[in-house]
Amino acid sequence: MFAASRVFGAAQRRAFSASARDLSKVTVLGAAGGIGQPLSLLLKLNPRVTDLALYDIRGGPGVAADISHINTASKVTGYEPTPSGLDAALKGAEIVLIPAGVPRKPGMTRDDLFNTNASIVRDLAKAAAKSAPDANILVISNPVNSTVPIVAEIFKAAGVYNPKRLFGVTTLDVVRASRFVSEIKKTDPADENIVVVGGHSGVTIVPLFSQSSHPDLVGDANLLKRVQFGGDEVVQAKDGAGSATLSMAMAGARFAESLLKAKTQSGVVEPTFVDSPLYKDQGIDFFASKVELGPNGVEKIMDVGKITSEEQKLLDACLADLKKASCSEDSLPEHAH
Ligand SMILES: NC(=O)c1ccc[n+]([C@@H]2O[C@H](COP(=O)([O-])OP(=O)(O)OC[C@H]3O[C@@H](n4cnc5c(N)ncnc54)[C@H](O)[C@@H]3O)[C@@H](O)[C@H]2O)c1
Ligand SMILES: O=C(O)C[C@H](O)C(=O)O
C-alpha cells in the first residue's frame, strides 16, 4: 500500500511528530482548481503542515474530504463559499496561497487575465487583510506582476501591510530553467538550481546562467525562449484546457516548504517577487531576486549580483517591461482597488 510517509520519509515525519510540532496552518484559496487540488495534496504530504484549510467558490469541501483520508497527521478542513467560511479558512493561517483565478487560453497573454483576476485577488486580499493580517501571502494568480501590487495596496488600505510577508510565487520559472538545463547538460536535475530574476511574464523572466555551473548557456537563444515562454509552451500543448497546473503545484508546495523550513533553519534562499528596494529609484516597486527567508518572511533581499553584458541587456528589457506594468498599475481600473 502506498504510504504517504514514503513521500517525505518516515524518519522525517516521525521527527516532526516526536517534537512538539508548532502549529502551521496553511490555507489555499482556489483549492479546487487545477493548481489548487494537486497543491493541496502536496501540502497534505508535508509533515511541517499541521492544519490545512481549503477554500474555493466551488468544490472546497469535496477536495478537503478526499485529501483528509491521506494518512498523514495534518488536519484538513474544507470551507463553504461564504464570507464566514472564508473568514474561518483564513483565521490563524501562517501561510495563505492564492491560486484562485482564471488561466490563459492559447493566444492570450497573462495580462489578458488582469480584469478578471484583479477583482478575485482584490476581494481575497481584503478578506486576508481582515482575517489573517500577519500571514505570509503567496500569490500564484496571474498576472503575478500586477496581482502582487494589488494585494499590497489592499493591505496598505487596511493598515496591515508588511512587505516582508508578501510573495509573488515565481518558483516555477526556477523549476523550469533548472530542468531544461539538466536536460541539455545531462546532469541530475537535483544538482541544478538556476537563479531567475525579474518578474513572471515573457521578457521579465530573466534566468542568470552565468551564475550557474553552466555559464556557457548564456546566449543559448532556444533555452532562453523556453524559460521565458515555458508557460506558453504548456498553454499551447493544453490547447484550451488551461495552463500549467501540476508543475505549478509542485513549485508552490516547494516555496511553502521553504518558508516553513526557514522558521527554524537559516540560509533558506528562494528567488521570489517581492516589494524590493533594488529598482525603486527606477519606479519599480516589485522585483524577483534571491531572497533569504526566515521566521519573519523576507529576511534579506539579495541584489542581482555579477552578470554578463548579455544578461544585463535582458535585465534592461525586463526593467522596461516592469516599469510599464507599474505605470499601468497607477491607472488601475477602479474595480481593481
Ligand atoms: N505563478 C505562476 O507561476 C502560475 C503558474 C500557473 C498558473 N498560474 C495562474 O494560477 C491561476 C489559477 O490557475 P488554474 O489552472 O488553477 O485555474 P483553475 O480555473 O483550474 O482554478 C482556479 C480556481 O480558483 C477558483 N476561484 C475563482 N474565484 C475564486 C474566489 N473568488 N475565491 C476562491 N476561489 C476562486 C475557481 O473556482 C477554481 O477552482 C491562473 O491565474 C493562472 O494563470 C500562475
Ligand atoms: O503561463 C501561464 O499562463 C501560467 C503560468 O504563469 C506559467 O508560467 O505556467
Side-chain angles (χ1 to χ4, degrees):
M1 189 267 271
F2 174 76
S5 58
R6 280 175 32 200
V7 177
F8 272 82
Q12 185 182 16
R13 207 161 60 87
R14 271 195 295 278
F16 285 99
S17 53
S19 68
R21 282 154 55 102
D22 63 324
L23 286 179
S24 288
K25 176 174 176 178
V26 176
T27 298
V28 181
L29 304 181
I35 295 169
Q37 291 200 38
L39 173 60
S40 301
L41 168 62
L42 292 171
L43 291 167
K44 176 58 178 154
L45 299 181
N46 185 332
R48 297 180 203 270
V49 177
T50 57
D51 183 345
L52 186 56
L54 305 183
Y55 175 89
D56 200 305
I57 52 172
R58 63 179 74 84
V63 173
D66 184 352
I67 287 182
S68 71
H69 292 182
I70 292 171
N71 62 329
T72 57
S74 49
K75 180 167 79 86
V76 184
T77 311
Y79 293 85
E80 291 301 329
T82 60
S84 59
L86 180 52
D87 175 66
L90 285 161
K91 269 265 183 309
E94 182 176 325
I95 292 178
V96 178
L97 292 120
I98 308 180
V102 298
R104 283 196 281 171
K105 294 202 179 303
M108 290 174 74
T109 68
R110 294 180 182 85
D111 283 347
D112 291 332
L113 303 172
F114 180 76
N115 284 337
T116 304
N117 289 347
S119 310
I120 292 171
V121 169
R122 175 203 62 201
D123 294 345
L124 293 175
K126 283 179 182 171
K130 175 172 151 291
S131 306
D134 302 321
N136 292 291
I137 309 295
L138 279 53
V139 181
I140 294 173
S141 315
N142 272 315
V144 165
N145 294 0
S146 304
T147 50
V148 171
I150 288 175
V151 176
E153 287 312 306
I154 297 296
F155 272 61
K156 283 175 188 171
V160 295
Y161 181 52
N162 178 353
K164 293 179 180 297
R165 295 275 190 206
L166 176 58
F167 303 89
V169 183
T170 56
T171 314
L172 181 54
D173 300 319
V174 173
V175 165
R176 280 179 175 138
S178 303
R179 179 52 185 143
F180 297 163
V181 164
S182 72
E183 284 175 325
I184 293 170
K185 293 295 185 180
K186 305 210 182 335
T187 52
D188 180 346
D191 295 335
E192 306 294 354
N193 196 20
I194 304 298
V195 177
V196 183
V197 299
H200 182 65
S201 70
V203 296
T204 70
I205 300 172
V206 180
L208 301 180
F209 299 119
S210 68
Q211 295 181 3
S212 76
S213 358
H214 314 287
D216 59 301
L217 291 175
V218 174
D220 182 324
N222 187 51
L223 174 58
L224 175 66
K225 183 166 183 289
R226 287 202 74 194
V227 173
Q228 290 189 329
F229 297 94
D232 299 77
E233 196 176 294
V234 177
V235 168
Q236 296 307 327
K238 288 198 173 183
D239 196 22
S243 53
T245 52
L246 303 170
S247 50
M248 180 60 230
M250 173 268 175
R254 165 176 149 167
F255 191 82
E257 161 64 6
S258 291
L259 260 184
L260 290 169
K261 193 161 62 174
K263 283 166 63 178
T264 54
Q265 286 180 31
S266 60
V268 179
V269 176
E270 289 277 6
T272 176
F273 189 72
V274 293
D275 189 331
S276 171
L278 297 184
Y279 300 100
K280 279 215 193 296
D281 60 339
Q282 297 182 41
I284 295 163
D285 292 331
F286 291 83
F287 187 82
S289 67
K290 287 201 304 188
V291 170
E292 181 168 355
L293 304 173
N296 302 308
V298 172
E299 292 298 335
K300 183 167 174 251
I301 296 174
M302 301 170 195
D303 64 27
V304 162
K306 189 170 177 304
I307 59 177
T308 68
S309 55
E310 284 171 294
E311 288 168 332
Q312 186 58 55
K313 286 195 191 93
L314 297 177
L315 182 58
D316 292 343
C318 159
L319 294 172
D321 203 276
L322 286 175
K323 183 146 179 55
K324 256 191 309 184
S326 62
C327 294
S328 64
E329 269 135 41
D330 294 342
S331 54
L332 282 183
E334 197 39 48
H335 68 264
H337 291 291

